[in-house]
Each structure stands twice: as structure tokens, then as C-alpha cells.
């Protein structure tokens, strides 16, 4: 059986994208890079293109097109610009699998396009499922596309489910490290700065997901992601804080048996598993040593302090376009926090306000998601600039 795969990495210059390239570099007999895309880190994108010699490169920021085009002139590499081009390139015959590693709503269009074209998806871009989980999973079913989770918790669940296809899940436990502010109260959190929030104890990731991890919004987004990936009801998804990030998540079956997947925190493992499933590829990733972790600990999530997690559960329960509102408001909130325009707790206030005010649609289609996303961003930006956010305590 020919298992060699031609890979397109959407978001190759990011944390997930560069680690996917590490996996490919170590396994050139199994994977070839067909497409690379980036947003504005042009020098890294050019460097990656020269090393991996893909068929096509797309730079999302159109103002950087000429720079990339000129730098790659001596090479036999096609260069395009803009997010529409990423969605177009997704349909290339020569692509077997797309690694969806763009951050945020910006990754939705290209992921949908790749699914429509029947490409297998290794999904890192959780926001895609948060915004339009029903649409994405329905389209995937219609087109015979498997969505392989890259997110470590969802990869863990997926690994626990191997060989269990006919056995119903009773519930799942998504583990969370708790982030840099675990154990802190709201009085402390109201004054924290981005430099503190960007220091994740266990994982090195892009800025947006690192802030989401500090505010527990990341876990909220992952609850919604899990619902769609594994077809679960809200009540079947629990979150447990596990500060060591060794157990990556747990499945509980109807006989009470629980399966957990564990290992040192290293995103290359779930990335590689998504790319090589159902096979496992021998790796030299660091191995876990029990003696270095004599205690693995667990505690409940503090949803009074970290309200984002409750907001995500509420949005999921309400359904319709609520998770799309939650996501758009959160993207604006994180961006504003990173630009020192709002405080840490105001991120949650903004999301809550948008969930209360934006028009609810119970059965949204693609156009509704596009409009909801647009409208929420405008309203959220207005709320920030008019300082209408109550200072949160
Ligand atoms: P990142 O910020 O490091 O990288 C994002 C990538 O997307 C970059 O290549 C960037 O150029 C591209 N991009 C950004 N905005 C874009 C736009 N408007 N149009 C086109 N491309 C754009 O982020 P990351 O940490 O690699 O995360 C990527 C996705 O994977 C996120 O959805 C995140 O939640 C998810 N994820 C990441 C990790 C991790 O360890 N980093 C773990 C689990 C899930
Ligand atoms: Mg995760």
C-alpha cells in the first residue's frame, strides 16, 4: 500500500506549522510538502519554501506578494497571494492532506474548500469547528473526508478510541493545565499584563492560543471542538485541571472503564499521529519518566474566576450562531488585550456582552456565519473604543 502523502500546510509559519515541518523533515520517505502558506512572516515562509521546494506558496497578506515572488524567482515554485488563493489552492489534485494550522476564523474558508475537494484534514484550527462545527462535520461526511484532530486533548481522545468504534462513549474528560494563573483570584487577574499571560507553564504556542489558555477560553473552545469531532452531547464533556499536562485526556466508556493517553507535552506527537494514522511512526521525541513525576494531580476548574469556560458551555448549549459569536468576540478581545487596550478580565466581559447583544440565529448557514462573524467583530471593536466595558473585578 502506498502511504506516501503530499501535504499542504496552511499556516506553515506558525507554531503548529513549523512543528509539522519538523515531522516532515524527519520523515521525507513518508511525506512531501506540496503547499506552504503564511500570513506576514515572509522571510520564514521563503526560507521554508527554499528548503522544502513545494509546488505552491501562498502569502495571505497581499501587500507582501512581490517580495515573496521575487525571492522565489530562481525556484520552480508558484506564488499566489490572499486568503481566496489559499482556498483555491486547497483543491489542487496533487494534495492528499491539508494541515489546517491557520489561527482563528481566518482558517475557515480554506478548510471548507479543502473538505469540499475531498482532502483529508489534520485539524489544528479549532476555531473552525467552534464557528461552524455542524457545517464542517456535515460537509466532511458528505465528501468522505476524515478530520484527524491535532489538538493534543482531541488527539488523546482519538487515540483512546482506536479499536473502540462500536463502543459508545459515556463521557470524556478534557485535561487542562490551568495556565499561568491557576489558583489566582479575580482581584489578581484584573491587573495582569500580556507578558505574564504569555508565559505558559507547559506549552510553547502562538500568542492567541497562549492567551486563550491563560483565560481558560482555550478549554471552552476545546469543549465545543470535542462536541463536533466526537458527536457528543454537552453533558458528556467534562474539564479537569491537571497541571502537569501528562495525561492529555480521558475517555470513559459505558462499562465505567476509562482510557487515558499520556506522554510528555510535545505537539509533534499529535501532529504526526494525525498525519500518519492509523500507523505510528517511530520517533525520537523525549520519553516520559515516571520518577520525574511522582505525583500527577487533578483539581476542578475554577469557573467563578475563569468565566470564559462557562461562557463557552453556555454558547454551546444555546447552539445556533452563539459559538460563532463567542469566537469572534474572543478574537477581538485577545487582540485588544495583546495591544494593551483592555484588561485581562475585560476579555470575558466583552465576550459576554456580545453573546447578549448579537442577533441569535437558531439554524445558521454559511452566509449567516460570515455575517455573524463580521457583525460581532464590529460590535466588539465599538465596545472597546467607546470604553463601554465595565471595569471587571
Ligand atoms: P500561530 O500564531 O503560531 O500561527 C498561525 C499561522 O496562521 C501562521 O502561519 C500565520 O501566518 C497564519 N495566519 C495568521 N493569520 C492569518 C490570516 N488572517 N490569514 C491566513 N493565515 C494566517 O498559531 P499556532 O499556535 O500555530 O495555532 C494555530 C492553530 O492551531 C490555532 O487554531 C490553535 O488554536 C491551534 N492549536 C495550536 C496549538 C499549539 O501548540 N500551538 C495546540 C493546539 C491547537
Ligand atoms: Mg489543546
Amino acid at each position: 500500500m502506498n502511504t506516501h502523502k503530499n501535504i499542504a500546510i496552511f499556516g506553515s509559519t506558525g507554531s503548529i506549522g513549523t512543528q509539522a515541518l519538523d515531522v516532515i523533515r524527519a520523515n521525507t520517505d513518508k511525506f512531501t510538502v506540496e503547499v506552504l502558506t503564511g500570513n506576514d512572516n515572509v522571510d520564514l515562509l521563503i526560507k521554508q519554501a527554499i528548503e522544502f521546494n513545494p509546488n505552491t506558496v501562498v502569502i495571505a497578506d497581499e501587500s507582501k506578494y512581490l517580495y515573496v515572488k521575487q525571492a522565489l524567482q530562481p525556484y520552480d515554485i508558484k506564488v499566489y497571494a490572499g486568503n481566496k488563493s489559499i482556498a483555491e489552492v486547497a483543491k489542487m489534485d496533487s494534495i492528499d492532506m491539508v494541515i489546517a494550522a491557520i489561527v482563528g476564523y481566518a482558517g475557515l474558508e480554506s478548510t471548507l474548500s479543502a473538505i469540499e475537494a475531498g482532502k483529508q484534514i489534520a485539524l489544528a484550527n479549532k476555531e473552525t469547528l467552534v464557528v461552524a462545527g455542524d457545517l464542517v462535520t456535515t460537509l466532511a461526511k458528505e465528501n468522505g473526508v476524515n478530520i484527524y484532530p491535532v489538538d493534543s486533548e482531541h488527539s488523546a481522545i482519538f487515540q483512546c478510541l482506536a479499536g473502540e468504534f462500536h463502543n459508545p462513549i459515556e463521557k470524556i474528560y478534557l485535561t487542562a493545565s490551568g495556565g499561568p494563573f491557576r489558583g489566582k483570584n479575580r482581584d489578581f487577574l484584573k491587573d495582569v499584563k500580556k507578558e505574564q499571560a504569555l508565559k505558559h507553564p507547559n506549552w510553547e504556542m502562538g500568542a492567541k492560543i497562549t492567551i486563550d489558555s491563560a483565560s481558560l477560553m482555550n478549554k471552552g473552545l476545546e469543549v465545543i471542538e470535542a462536541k463536533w469531532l466526537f458527536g457528543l452531547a454537552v453533558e458528556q464533556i467534562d474539564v479537569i485541571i491537571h497541571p502537569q499536562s501528562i495525561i492529555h485526556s480521558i475517555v470513559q466508556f459505558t462499562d465505567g472503564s476509562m482510557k487515558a493517553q499520556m506522554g510528555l507535552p510535545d505537539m509533534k506527537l499529535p501532529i504526526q499521529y494525525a498525519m500518519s494514522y492509523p500507523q505510528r511512526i517511530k520517533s525520537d521525541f523525549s520519553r516520559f519518566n515516571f520518577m520525574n513525576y511522582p505525583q500527577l494531580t487533578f483539581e476542578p476548574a475554577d469557573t467563578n474566576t475563569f468565566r470564559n469556560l462557562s461562557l463557552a458551555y453556555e454558547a454551546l448549549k444555546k447552539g445556533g450562531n452563539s459559538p460563532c459569536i463567542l469566537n469572534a468576540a474572543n478574537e477581538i478581545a485577545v487582540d485588544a488585550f495583546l495591544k494593551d487596550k483592555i484588561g485581562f478580565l475585560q476579555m470575558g466581559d466583552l465576550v459576554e456582552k456580545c453573546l447578549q447583544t448579537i442577533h441569535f440565529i437558531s439554524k445558521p448557514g454559511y452566509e449567516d456565519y460570515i455575517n455573524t462573524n463580521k457583525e460581532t467583530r464590529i460590535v466588539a471593536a465599538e465596545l472597546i473604543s467607546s470604553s463601554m466595558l465595565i471595569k471587571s473585578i
Side-chain angles (χ1 to χ4, degrees):
M1 190 173 69
N2 179 16
T3 54
H4 192 97
K5 287 189 185 120
N6 289 336
I7 307 282
I9 307 181
F10 293 171
S12 66
T13 55
S15 159
I16 293 291
T18 50
Q19 293 181 83
L21 285 173
D22 290 341
V23 169
I24 294 177
R25 194 182 285 112
N27 296 282
T28 47
D29 56 326
K30 297 183 178 63
F31 306 111
T32 303
V33 178
E34 196 63 9
V35 175
L36 294 173
T37 86
N39 189 34
D40 51 8
N41 190 346
V42 278
D43 292 323
L44 179 57
L45 185 63
I46 291 163
K47 191 164 162 254
Q48 293 176 339
I50 293 171
E51 180 185 350
F52 288 93
N53 193 32
N55 178 298
T56 298
V57 160
V58 187
I59 178 79
D61 181 343
E62 297 183 24
S63 69
K64 307 252 164 71
Y65 170 73
L66 275 184
Y67 184 87
V68 179
K69 176 83 185 153
Q70 270 159 15
L72 296 179
Q73 198 73 48
Y75 305 90
D76 185 18
I77 299 172
K78 298 185 195 77
V79 180
Y80 302 106
N83 265 310
K84 286 265 172 273
S85 298
I86 303 181
E88 264 318 296
V89 158
K91 302 175 194 160
M92 274 167 51
D93 279 346
S94 53
I95 298 171
D96 298 312
M97 172 177 263
V98 167
I99 301 181
I102 291 175
V103 57
Y105 179 91
L108 177 63
E109 188 183 359
S110 52
T111 305
L112 286 173
S113 173
I115 294 173
E116 252 167 354
K119 309 302 179 192
Q120 301 308 306
I121 307 286
L123 188 80
N125 178 220
K126 65 190 83 185
E127 293 90 349
T128 292
L129 285 179
V130 174
V131 170
D134 54 348
L135 197 76
V136 171
T137 48
T138 306
L139 204 63
K141 259 189 219 117
E142 283 169 9
N143 289 281
V145 165
N146 295 319
I147 299 179
Y148 301 106
V150 166
D151 215 346
S152 58
E153 297 78 0
H154 306 73
S155 174
I157 303 288
F158 185 56
Q159 293 180 57
C160 292
L161 291 175
E164 301 275 5
F165 299 113
H166 300 292
N167 291 326
I169 297 171
E170 188 165 85
K171 73 191 294 184
I172 64 169
Y173 293 91
L174 298 178
T175 53
S177 70
F181 304 136
R182 182 174 65 88
K184 303 295 188 202
N185 59 25
R186 290 180 73 82
D187 194 42
F188 175 90
L189 290 178
K190 73 182 185 341
D191 297 323
V192 297
K193 292 283 165 249
K194 65 176 180 223
E195 292 74 19
Q196 296 162 278
L198 283 168
K199 280 199 193 104
H200 196 280
N202 303 343
W203 300 96
E204 282 229 11
M205 312 177 284
K208 196 246 172 193
I209 183 175
T210 306
I211 301 300
D212 283 346
S213 300
S215 72
L216 286 205
M217 180 56 94
N218 182 50
K219 213 46 57 179
L221 301 180
E222 291 185 354
V223 168
I224 303 175
E225 181 186 15
K227 181 218 154 61
W228 293 110
L229 280 173
F230 305 112
L232 301 171
V234 187
E235 299 72 31
Q236 289 175 289
I237 309 169
D238 245 335
V239 168
I240 185 92
I241 303 290
H242 167 48
Q244 298 82 19
S245 296
I246 295 298
I247 293 183
H248 298 304
S249 279
I250 300 136
V251 179
Q252 180 175 310
F253 294 95
T254 47
D255 58 358
S257 175
M258 298 166 99
K259 278 167 87 173
Q261 186 265 336
M262 58 193 283
L264 290 173
D266 182 348
M267 282 309 295
K268 285 198 287 299
L269 200 142
I271 293 169
Q272 175 174 298
Y273 189 72
M275 292 169 70
S276 69
Y277 176 87
Q279 272 134 29
R280 288 185 184 273
I281 302 175
K282 189 173 165 50
S283 86
D284 60 3
F285 309 151
S286 302
R287 278 11 181 198
F288 175 74
N289 180 339
F290 280 91
M291 296 315 123
N292 293 340
Y293 292 85
Q295 278 193 321
L296 295 181
T297 60
F298 306 92
E299 54 195 69
D302 176 1
T303 48
N304 290 325
T305 302
F306 298 94
R307 289 189 198 146
N308 279 345
L309 183 55
S310 311
L311 289 176
Y313 267 105
E314 280 166 31
L316 180 56
K317 278 184 200 147
K318 191 162 176 202
N321 63 342
S322 295
C324 177
I325 298 170
L326 174 99
N327 179 71
N330 182 57
E331 287 192 27
I332 296 293
V334 172
D335 185 60
F337 175 70
L338 285 171
K339 291 178 176 147
D340 299 316
K341 287 187 191 161
I342 60 172
F344 187 80
L345 291 177
Q346 287 177 306
M347 290 193 287
D349 295 346
L350 187 67
V351 172
E352 191 165 16
K353 193 115 194 151
C354 288
L355 281 170
Q356 287 162 356
T357 48
I358 306 287
H359 175 60
F360 177 71
I361 304 169
S362 59
K363 290 208 183 319
Y366 187 38
E367 288 298 314
D368 297 314
Y369 290 126
I370 293 174
N371 293 333
T372 299
N373 176 62
K374 235 186 240 160
E375 187 190 344
T376 308
R377 282 166 188 270
I378 292 168
V379 170
E382 278 170 6
L383 283 166
I384 291 169
S385 60
S386 64
S387 315
M388 271 171 63
L389 285 180
I390 312 142
K391 185 108 189 100
S392 199
I393 45 158

